[in-house]
Amino acid sequence: MSVPADLPVVAFMGAERIARAPLHRALPAIHAAAAAGAGPLVFDLRDGRVVDLDLRGDLGEARARLGPALVPPVEKRGPGRPKLGVVAREVTLLPRHWDWLAAQPGGASVALRKLVEAALKAGEGPDRARRAKEAAYRFMTAMAGDRPGYEEATRMLFAGDGAAFDAAVEAWPEAWPEGVRETAREMAEGAWRNGAVAATDA
């Protein structure tokens, strides 16, 4: 399965961060490290998973194996409103539910869409926090699982305490190289329930 060309990645050669960019821009540094026999580790910045790249051949061959972009180019449209993409499906409700929906401004369809949108927004924060914790945990385990401070930083990550996590990571500057610390903080940004965010340097 090919990897999207615009996948946001961070790459390390040992503990040194060698690239942080969309994959098509990071690929030259990654390919050069692989050609030198360094065995670079490449992480998906969205979920912290290791990205498996086919780096055989020269840079052009490796680039040709990348997949299409995650976000396709925006199609230019003429005057008028774009299609909403509304899909009709059966919904089963009790009579009192239908009565309530029918009494809402805009009718049942509008009321249902508003309810679904509200539910999506309400779940966005917890879902984002969970995804950020999982991404940071995967990255930290791969890059720092055997380093001092890993367990404490992990506890603070899952406790949702951004300030304590940042302090835990920063307390071992020799054990946690700068690129590892900054990437761990970046991946964990969305994890803090209290709104506190650890500082990051891209």
mmCIF file of all heavy atoms in Angstrom, residues 71 149 198:
data_model
loop_
_atom_site.group_PDB
_atom_site.id
_atom_site.type_symbol
_atom_site.label_atom_id
_atom_site.label_comp_id
_atom_site.label_asym_id
_atom_site.label_seq_id
_atom_site.Cartn_x
_atom_site.Cartn_y
_atom_site.Cartn_z
ATOM 1 N N VAL A 71 -5.199 15.116 0.745
ATOM 2 C CA VAL A 71 -6.192 16.145 0.456
ATOM 3 C C VAL A 71 -6.109 16.462 -1.022
ATOM 4 O O VAL A 71 -5.161 17.101 -1.477
ATOM 5 C CB VAL A 71 -5.931 17.425 1.285
ATOM 6 C CG1 VAL A 71 -7.000 18.467 0.991
ATOM 7 C CG2 VAL A 71 -5.897 17.094 2.771
ATOM 8 N N GLY A 149 12.920 8.741 32.731
ATOM 9 C CA GLY A 149 11.821 9.701 32.662
ATOM 10 C C GLY A 149 10.660 9.272 31.791
ATOM 11 O O GLY A 149 9.600 9.896 31.814
ATOM 12 N N ALA A 198 1.653 22.243 26.183
ATOM 13 C CA ALA A 198 3.097 22.352 26.302
ATOM 14 C C ALA A 198 3.650 23.093 25.104
ATOM 15 O O ALA A 198 3.150 22.979 23.999
ATOM 16 C CB ALA A 198 3.709 20.947 26.373
#
